[in-house]
Amino acid sequence: MTQAFSKVTAIRGMNDALPGNGARWEQLEEAVRVWLAGYGYRNMRTPILEHTRLFTRGIGEVTDIVEKEMYSFTDSLNGESLTMRPEFTAGMVRAAIEHNLLYDRPQRVYAIGPVFRHERPQRGRYRQFHQIDVEALGLSGPDIDAELIIMAARLWKALGITDVHLEINSLGQGEERAAHRAALIAHLEAHKDVLDEDGLRRMYTNPLRVLDTKNPAMQAMADAAPKLFDFLGDVSRAHFAGVCERLDDAGVSYRLNPRMVRGLDYYNLTVFEWVTDKLGAQATVCGGGRYDGLIELLGGKPAPAVGFAIGMERLMDLWGQYQPETPKPECTVYFVHQGDVAQRRAAILAEGLRDVGVSAVVHAGSGSFKSQFKRADTSGAQIAVILGDDELASGVASVKMLRGEPSSDALSQQQVPIDQLVTFLKDKVN
Ligand code: HAM
């Protein structure tokens, strides 16, 4: 006797895209590729699995991602610690170093694909999600930071999305952050009495995070805390001003958010996030910034870089609120047939249609004409072709317009010689 097999479901926080929705993903990816090509970005594909140390070093040991969100495991065959990428940047930089991509010129590159973080799933927050990752490697000026931000604004516009807002900040350079950190810790020490348990715990390990508190009793202390911006030197300030001027030139509005803390340690100078209030708690659609030290940190010749990533599930959710899904037809021509000979003839005719670039589906199996027509209709096809004994005997197929033509019966069904069918249909759909 066979044992009942308990149903296997998807892993929590990891989603299936079903056929209708899959078409929508493709539509988004298509728009994204056109947009990226418009700025000269070229596609790269890096492995999902990387050595764990790439991320611990690249993203930073004391970050939520590295401390508690990575899918890491030991390869049982050789004992190596591997991690499923929680983001693209570290892997893109590794590949650029490994293949000497920056040898003779900077590179504008992008990647699209799944990334993995063990977070608590909720709307807009998943354990497998997808990013559109865009990186400008080897370029240092504020012009490129601004270009990336303006570029994101263009994508929102292309998708008809209006309610996303830009927040920017400058994290300055390492020494500036260190000076700020010391002042911040002194401030926290002086206000120890208002710190809650989390605040006390993080005060020395991650003092910036303490300011991110929702605790009302700590707001006044947080508001009065020294601002990183005030610790920036002339060069950092000039870079930031350069970015802002170019955003002004392009008419992209922004809000300076001096408390923006990105979740990855590699950033310096410009950081930014595009946020919306249309996605519930997970408000950030896109985040990025400059990471001039990462290439060197990962063993490359020092080179500046800047980039961002868009969360595709969040973008899909948002896009759906502006541009509802329109079902995509499965094919242009649907063959309805009766009998073995007609079915085989339909298969050959359908191949002929595909040769000339017209998509076609031949009804699979048998079934009454009525049920086959029903299926033809739900497929979204523009045209149904009918092949039965009568049609084969007379060498003439019936062609029925299902959509997009005057619906008077006389016009909507026509007799077409089978040997001219492919040409006839090709002209009809073009
Ligand atoms: P990030 O801010 O960690 O940056 O992620 C980028 C975007 O991915 C977020 O703004 C959000 O839209 C989406 N996202 C993050 N976590 C989740 C999740 N659990 N579920 C669904 N969507 C999520 C980075 O990953 C950097 N590598 C960006 C970058 C590229 N910086 C420079 N270059």
Side-chain angles (χ1 to χ4, degrees):
M1 209 173 74
T2 52
Q3 192 109 55
F5 183 68
S6 67
K7 201 169 62 180
V8 180
T9 56
I11 295 167
R12 194 162 118 81
M14 305 201 178
N15 303 310
D16 301 307
L18 302 176
N21 194 234
R24 181 81 166 168
W25 275 87
E26 285 184 337
Q27 212 182 326
L28 180 63
E29 283 164 2
E30 184 57 37
V32 163
R33 284 182 216 286
V34 170
W35 161 70
L36 287 162
Y39 287 84
Y41 280 77
R42 298 188 302 158
N43 187 230
M44 265 178 76
R45 291 159 196 247
T46 59
I48 288 174
L49 276 182
E50 297 272 5
H51 291 290
T52 301
R53 61 182 187 281
L54 173 70
F55 301 116
T56 45
R57 193 164 175 78
I59 297 172
E61 304 258 7
V62 195
T63 55
D64 281 354
I65 296 180
V66 169
E67 278 181 331
K68 47 189 187 212
E69 295 170 0
M70 296 207 302
Y71 282 92
S72 299
F73 60 92
T74 306
D75 184 335
S76 60
L77 297 178
N78 60 11
E80 283 179 342
S81 177
L82 306 180
T83 292
M84 297 178 73
R85 64 179 176 215
E87 59 119 37
F88 276 99
T89 312
M92 299 283 267
V93 166
R94 179 207 43 76
I97 297 170
E98 197 167 330
H99 304 286
N100 214 4
L101 285 193
L102 296 177
Y103 169 66
D104 59 349
R105 60 171 176 139
Q107 297 277 352
R108 285 176 162 88
V109 290
Y110 76 90
I112 299 177
V115 293
F116 304 82
R117 294 184 193 174
H118 199 282
E119 294 192 78
R120 253 167 61 98
Q122 62 176 80
R123 176 181 176 190
R125 195 210 276 154
Y126 309 103
R127 291 180 174 171
Q128 173 175 326
F129 59 100
H130 297 75
Q131 285 187 343
I132 301 158
D133 182 78
V134 183
E135 312 286 3
L137 306 174
L139 296 161
S140 62
D143 51 330
I144 190 80
D145 308 23
E147 180 188 278
L148 282 164
I149 294 171
I150 293 163
M151 187 174 162
R154 177 179 290 274
L155 181 63
W156 316 144
K157 203 166 158 207
L159 297 174
I161 296 170
T162 49
D163 263 320
V164 274
H165 308 285
L166 174 64
E167 301 201 339
I168 53 174
N169 191 19
S170 176
L171 300 182
Q173 302 294 13
E175 323 81 70
E176 294 159 352
R177 280 198 299 284
H180 170 250
R181 188 186 153 96
L184 186 56
I185 291 175
H187 177 80
L188 295 173
E189 281 172 339
H191 295 85
K192 243 183 177 155
D193 50 323
V194 298
L195 299 189
D196 56 17
E197 205 182 308
D198 267 353
L200 288 168
R201 192 165 48 80
R202 289 182 171 152
M203 147 175 180
Y204 296 106
T205 54
N206 203 339
L208 264 179
R209 270 282 151 76
V210 181
L211 305 183
D212 223 15
T213 178
K214 301 238 159 19
N215 183 345
M218 286 166 65
Q219 285 312 318
M221 178 283 301
D223 290 341
K227 307 244 179 319
L228 172 56
F229 214 83
D230 297 330
F231 286 75
L232 300 190
D234 290 346
V235 177
S236 295
R237 279 170 191 266
H239 187 97
F240 192 67
V243 177
C244 294
E245 279 162 13
R246 286 167 175 82
L247 295 180
D248 292 336
D249 289 347
V252 172
S253 51
Y254 49 87
R255 187 176 83 87
L256 174 65
N257 176 359
R259 287 210 207 150
M260 185 194 298
V261 216
R262 302 271 304 127
L264 310 99
D265 277 354
Y266 48 60
Y267 293 111
N268 68 312
L269 294 174
T270 321
V271 286
F272 57 91
E273 286 183 348
W274 286 92
V275 296
T276 177
D277 56 11
K278 300 206 145 207
L279 292 176
Q282 304 308 312
T284 312
V285 188
C286 167
R290 191 159 269 294
Y291 51 94
D292 295 330
L294 184 62
I295 297 178
E296 186 179 13
L297 184 73
L298 294 178
K301 218 167 102 225
V306 53
F308 64 74
I310 297 171
M312 288 184 85
E313 282 76 4
R314 292 184 195 177
L315 184 58
M316 285 279 281
D317 185 341
L318 195 57
W319 187 34
Q321 296 178 40
Y322 289 89
Q323 210 190 80
E325 241 169 274
T326 41
K328 191 177 163 216
E330 289 165 34
C331 57
T332 307
V333 176
Y334 197 99
F335 281 87
V336 163
H337 51 79
Q338 206 83 89
D340 202 39
V341 179
Q343 187 195 49
R344 288 167 57 184
R345 193 68 192 268
I348 296 299
L349 287 165
E351 282 300 326
L353 278 176
R354 294 171 195 130
D355 284 344
V356 297
V358 177
S359 64
V361 166
V362 179
H363 186 85
S366 51
S368 67
F369 270 133
K370 190 162 168 240
S371 69
Q372 291 193 38
F373 263 117
K374 235 177 162 169
R375 188 59 202 91
D377 197 44
T378 52
S379 77
Q382 193 183 329
I383 299 169
V385 173
I386 304 128
L387 281 182
D389 291 340
D390 293 349
E391 282 80 6
L392 288 178
S394 59
V396 173
S398 303
V399 173
K400 189 170 159 64
M401 300 307 293
L402 299 174
R403 291 177 173 76
E405 281 247 321
S407 60
S408 107
D409 276 345
L411 274 179
S412 68
Q413 184 146 338
Q414 305 177 39
Q415 306 301 311
V416 179
I418 293 178
D419 56 5
Q420 293 165 27
L421 188 70
V422 169
T423 322
F424 174 85
L425 291 174
K426 181 171 183 265
D427 292 345
K428 202 87 185 153
V429 299
N430 283 334

